[in-house]
Amino acid sequence: MPDRPHVLIPYATSASEGCRHSLQNLALPHLERLLARLSPQPDRAISGRETSLSPPHERALARALGLPDEDGRIPWAAWHRQQQGQATQGLAWAFISPCQWQVGTDHVMLRDPQGLDEAASRALLASMSPWFAQDGITLHYDQPTRWLASGALFATLASASLERVLLRDLRSWLPRDLDLHRGPTDAHAARRLQRLHSEMQMLLYTHPLNDARAERGLPPINAFWVHGTGTLPTALPATSTPPTVLDTLRDPALHEDWSAWAAAWSALDAGPVAGLLRQTDSGQSVLLTLCGERNAIRWHSARRGWLRRMQSLFQPPRMIDIHHML
């Protein structure tokens, strides 16, 4: 039996007041009609908090891929390495993202490194590698704004997704020896990582790369972020075709540009969502996962009683109502 089409939409809503306001006037007719024809799957729902390390869409995708989905310990880097056709060798892996920590009087905000090309990224990696090697960490180039790292330190270290901290105050997501909200972490690994952060801030403060960036009017790269930590299971379970992830809401949501976010939602509604609706109307079974900042809910095609079907035709669920669920 062929796999059912499965669409996963991150940042379908946000806890921001601006998002709630935009939803008041956001018309998504195809989504409302589609959800009226589908039923939620409570056993596939993901519940969390806005302060969790892993956002709901990452946990939902991890489950669909057969990966562990423990908060802060989804082994994305190891999985990415495997998808490249490279052996993970039973090692623990992580992503390392060079970035800017913008320090204010009452916050530390993490920003993407603008204008970082491959040549500059490789030069930066070469400068930082010896320091990481002292802690048993080997850096591997992957792309300009994200490297791979292997080392025992990442075996148990919980780390916040880059999307959790991007353009936000990152202090509450820094590794701690003991986090009363999330439970104990690997204290030794956390301390080593904190020391590395301090060493890299000193190294990068006078790095020639940042002098060249300043001449171009670009912000300095003065830090890094660790995410996607962990080791792949010995054997991943067989899974169905992974969902199609539609991430066009991501950037507007992270930048809190709710006008652009609403426009992106309208485009999704008129395109992929309308396509799912047509498939449903033709009798095909489909899956839809909507993800907010706290929760993710999956809907599926299922038989429904005639009374429920009639009610859904006259009272289709609205996105403003779903907002409170996500």
Side-chain angles (χ1 to χ4, degrees):
M1 183 177 178
D3 292 331
R4 291 181 287 180
H6 184 184
V7 168
L8 187 150
I9 302 180
Y11 299 100
T13 186
S14 165
S16 168
E17 179 65 22
C19 176
R20 190 193 65 78
H21 180 74
S22 293
L23 283 171
Q24 297 286 348
N25 301 311
L26 181 60
L28 301 174
H30 297 103
L31 179 65
E32 292 180 359
R33 288 170 56 195
L34 176 63
L35 293 180
R37 289 158 172 75
L38 304 180
S39 296
Q41 289 184 287
D43 61 322
R44 298 300 183 97
I46 291 174
S47 300
R49 298 175 298 180
E50 296 163 42
T51 56
S52 65
L53 298 172
S54 302
H57 63 271
E58 289 193 7
R59 292 185 59 202
L61 182 59
R63 288 186 183 183
L65 294 170
L67 296 174
D69 71 331
E70 182 183 355
D71 190 37
R73 293 189 175 93
I74 303 176
W76 288 121
W79 180 80
H80 178 71
R81 176 82 172 177
Q82 185 187 72
Q83 295 304 298
Q84 291 179 321
Q86 302 291 326
T88 60
Q89 301 170 327
L91 297 175
W93 292 79
F95 287 129
I96 305 288
S97 291
C99 58
Q100 180 201 16
W101 286 12
Q102 187 179 70
V103 181
T105 56
D106 60 350
H107 70 274
V108 181
M109 183 177 290
L110 186 147
R111 294 183 178 275
D112 270 337
Q114 305 170 27
L116 185 63
D117 59 22
E118 180 175 345
S121 180
R122 286 185 179 275
L124 192 62
L125 183 149
S127 298
M128 295 169 64
S129 286
W131 300 85
F132 280 77
Q134 292 176 13
D135 281 300
I137 300 170
T138 303
L139 296 182
H140 311 259
Y141 180 81
D142 183 46
Q143 57 191 43
T145 58
R146 192 184 71 190
W147 309 329
L148 283 162
S150 57
L153 182 147
F154 306 122
T156 59
L157 181 72
S159 60
S161 165
L162 184 63
E163 294 189 18
R164 277 302 200 204
V165 297
L166 190 61
L167 301 176
R168 295 179 175 179
D169 188 347
L170 58 82
R171 291 175 299 174
S172 62
W173 280 292
L174 286 169
R176 297 283 189 258
D177 292 356
L178 180 65
D179 188 313
L180 297 179
H181 295 290
R182 303 187 186 109
T185 62
D186 185 336
H188 181 58
R191 287 193 294 270
R192 289 164 66 188
L193 191 58
Q194 289 168 358
R195 191 191 72 247
L196 259 178
H197 275 297
S198 298
E199 292 172 345
M200 290 305 95
Q201 286 172 351
M202 290 187 289
L203 172 71
L204 295 171
Y205 183 73
T206 57
H207 198 283
L209 171 70
N210 280 324
D211 293 336
R213 288 176 64 83
E215 292 176 0
R216 297 165 56 197
L218 295 173
I221 296 172
N222 57 14
F224 64 91
W225 192 256
V226 175
H227 53 111
T229 55
T231 306
L232 282 182
T234 304
L236 291 176
T239 60
S240 57
T241 302
T244 299
V245 180
L246 304 178
D247 60 0
T248 54
L249 302 175
R250 174 188 180 273
D251 286 349
L254 291 178
H255 288 85
E256 297 199 12
D257 185 346
W258 301 115
S259 176
W261 177 84
W265 239 133
S266 295
L268 285 177
D269 186 69
V273 174
L276 277 184
L277 178 61
R278 288 192 296 271
Q279 290 173 304
T280 301
D281 287 344
S282 68
Q284 187 171 358
S285 180
V286 304
L287 297 170
L288 173 66
T289 300
L290 297 180
C291 310
E293 291 192 74
R294 298 164 298 177
N295 308 317
I297 301 176
R298 190 164 99 169
W299 281 266
H300 71 133
S301 304
R303 288 187 174 276
R304 309 167 74 182
W306 69 269
L307 179 59
R308 179 82 181 278
R309 290 198 301 271
M310 291 299 295
Q311 289 175 334
S312 68
L313 292 175
F314 292 103
Q315 295 179 325
R318 299 181 305 154
M319 194 62 199
I320 188 64
D321 299 322
I322 294 170
H323 165 78
H324 300 290
M325 302 165 61
L326 298 175

